[in-house]
Amino acid sequence: MNERRAARERRRAQEFELFVAGAGGRLLHAALLLTGEPGRAVGSGDGADGDRGSEAAERLLTAALARTYAGWDRLRGEDPYARTRQELAARFARSARRYRRPRGGVLGRLSPRERLVLVLRLHEGVPEEQTAAALGLSVERVRVICTRAVSVLRSRPAATVRRAPGVAP
């Protein structure tokens, strides 16, 4: 009986390791976008100072993966990537107050909610209806937040606009 349990645990661990090996990079990139950290390319660091930029994203992803692993046997045909992405979004939403200050990164000028909607909708390709349901918002609200976030990203940041002396705006 114990041998069966041990074999089942080994199989479960191997399945999960394969999942993380295949999806970990994309999930880490999503976590980096959510936290607004100026991340590094996955696997580019040597363990030194370059890796510190993704600390919060790695913590967020590790917690989401731990939750997915805990419920691995209960997935029953559910997509583990979708489950982990949902957990990642939920954990980020619950702790969004930590990410209010701009930290740089591609989405640094956006609010946490705008980053979350933009990452789910455009980076992950989650339909508006599913995004709205996951965040407890109306579909129209998700649409508005996404449109506003895209327009903010398309506009030039005020800090980088430089004019020659004597030139009127």
Side-chain angles (χ1 to χ4, degrees):
M1 191 65 150
N2 286 337
E3 290 176 22
R4 261 191 195 161
R5 182 179 293 163
R8 186 172 53 228
E9 283 298 316
R10 278 194 306 275
R11 183 178 42 81
R12 176 182 189 230
Q14 287 173 342
E15 289 174 357
F16 185 74
E17 286 173 11
L18 287 172
F19 162 69
V20 172
R26 184 163 172 89
L27 287 165
L28 178 58
H29 190 246
L32 283 167
L33 290 172
L34 287 173
T35 59
E37 293 175 319
R40 56 177 167 72
V42 177
S44 67
D46 59 359
D49 292 340
D51 290 351
R52 278 196 217 139
S54 61
E55 212 172 277
E58 289 174 0
R59 275 194 315 271
L60 184 66
L61 178 58
T62 300
L65 286 171
R67 181 77 184 253
T68 301
Y69 184 71
W72 191 257
D73 293 333
R74 294 183 301 270
L75 286 176
R76 295 191 186 111
E78 186 182 344
D79 181 16
Y81 185 85
R83 183 76 176 116
T84 306
R85 180 182 60 218
Q86 180 181 2
E87 183 62 32
L88 189 68
R91 285 187 176 276
F92 176 77
R94 284 193 302 267
S95 62
R97 69 186 183 291
R98 295 180 191 164
Y99 306 105
R100 289 196 193 282
R101 282 180 300 144
R103 297 175 180 220
V106 177
L107 306 179
R109 294 184 294 153
L110 302 177
S111 72
R113 179 177 274 179
E114 289 170 333
R115 284 197 305 262
L116 182 56
V117 169
L118 204 64
V119 168
L120 289 176
R121 288 284 300 122
L122 302 181
H123 179 69
E124 293 292 321
V126 178
E128 287 176 339
E129 296 80 15
Q130 289 180 9
T131 301
L135 301 178
L137 301 170
S138 69
V139 174
E140 183 59 32
R141 184 72 183 136
V142 167
R143 218 176 272 137
V144 167
I145 291 171
C146 190
T147 302
R148 184 178 55 216
V150 168
S151 68
V152 166
L153 291 176
R154 285 183 177 162
S155 68
R156 280 195 230 165
T160 61
V161 175
R162 293 185 184 160
R163 293 191 170 84
V167 177

